Amino acid sequence: MKIQVLTILFLAFMSCKNVTEKETEEVQIVVDSTELIIKTDEKQNGKSKSKLKFEKISETIKSTFKIENLELKEMYKPLKDEYFTLIDSNKVKTFKRYSEFLIIEFENPSDSQNEFNKIKTVAEKSLKDKKELFDYYGIFWKGGISFNQTDKWIIAHFLSCSMYPKDYEIDKQFTTDLEKVAFEVDWIRSYCGWGKMELK
């Protein structure tokens, strides 16, 4: 009889221990999962947070190129369509133009950098074969174009074959001036006639 009682007590004890261990394991999984979600959210928010106001970019454009009124307007469809053959239009927040400037605003800095990298990949391929640019006419122009990517913006500046050397220097100065107000600037510059291509 004693042996039966001891056996029953032993089995009951083991059963309670298993339940406790299972509950502890479940709690641990829940805690670990929650911490993972919090860390992931913090990481994503860190990537997505914009730190640069467009007013700083606007002031830099105006001061470098001596423009008094920088009035941006919504981009017309044909050129927008050209860009959307290469970049993801779902990530674009606004698409505006002023004179020879095109400003593409993305939802966050990481989207801006990712989409700029697509443009840069084409530019890098063109170093070996200029024909790589022909499929993206409208993004790259025969007259030349410069791109500056910073924070959640890509700023394109359309150049021309009638530019003087000093005009190219002003365009380069814009990148330098932008680097003074921005946290990080990535850039591309192409010259007249599908010729020289410069990359950061």
Side-chain angles (χ1 to χ4, degrees):
M1 183 70 178
K2 285 182 179 179
I3 293 172
Q4 289 176 341
V5 170
L6 287 172
T7 304
I8 291 169
L9 286 173
F10 177 75
L11 290 172
F13 174 75
M14 289 304 291
S15 175
C16 289
K17 186 179 178 184
N18 287 340
V19 169
T20 305
E21 285 178 354
K22 188 175 180 183
E23 286 175 353
T24 304
E25 186 180 338
E26 286 176 355
V27 169
Q28 186 65 39
I29 290 170
V30 170
V31 170
D32 290 348
S33 298
T34 305
E35 286 176 358
L36 181 63
I37 290 167
I38 290 169
K39 286 177 183 176
T40 304
D41 286 347
E42 284 174 354
K43 190 174 181 183
Q44 287 175 346
N45 288 338
K47 279 185 178 180
S48 299
K49 191 173 180 182
S50 177
K51 297 177 181 177
L52 181 66
K53 300 291 184 186
F54 180 71
E55 285 73 22
K56 289 282 186 183
I57 297 173
S58 175
E59 287 302 318
T60 306
I61 292 172
K62 287 192 279 189
S63 63
T64 306
F65 294 95
K66 310 300 181 199
I67 298 170
E68 291 184 14
N69 240 338
L70 188 69
E71 189 180 340
L72 294 170
K73 296 180 179 178
E74 284 293 331
M75 190 59 245
Y76 59 89
K77 192 175 179 182
L79 185 54
K80 188 185 288 189
D81 288 345
E82 290 288 346
Y83 274 82
F84 289 170
T85 63
L86 184 57
I87 65 173
D88 185 350
S89 62
N90 293 319
K91 295 179 180 178
V92 175
K93 189 174 179 182
T94 62
F95 207 109
K96 295 182 178 179
R97 186 171 183 180
Y98 169 79
S99 185
E100 68 268 19
F101 293 94
L102 177 68
I103 315 290
I104 309 172
E105 180 184 3
F106 292 85
E107 293 295 336
N108 56 65
S110 57
D111 283 349
S112 174
Q113 183 65 64
N114 289 339
E115 298 308 305
F116 180 79
N117 288 342
K118 294 177 184 178
I119 298 172
K120 199 167 189 178
T121 297
V122 175
E124 287 169 345
K125 287 180 179 178
S126 78
L127 295 174
K128 293 182 178 178
D129 186 358
K130 296 300 174 189
K131 290 179 182 177
E132 291 288 341
L133 299 175
F134 298 170
D135 288 337
Y136 300 100
Y137 188 82
I139 298 171
F140 292 94
W141 295 66
K142 188 176 181 181
I145 191 167
S146 68
F147 293 97
N148 288 277
Q149 184 277 325
T150 185
D151 203 271
K152 61 177 181 176
W153 288 277
I154 294 176
I155 303 115
H157 180 217
F158 301 102
L159 310 179
S160 75
C161 289
S162 61
M163 287 174 64
Y164 293 105
K166 66 176 183 179
D167 297 319
Y168 285 109
E169 290 305 315
I170 292 170
D171 185 69
K172 290 179 183 179
Q173 185 62 45
F174 172 63
T175 300
T176 302
D177 292 345
L178 193 59
E179 286 172 334
K180 293 174 184 176
V181 299
F183 297 91
E184 191 173 341
V185 178
D186 201 353
W187 57 268
I188 303 167
R189 185 171 292 104
S190 69
Y191 292 77
C192 170
W194 309 108
K196 186 178 172 185
M197 178 75 73
E198 294 177 346
L199 303 110
K200 181 177 179 181

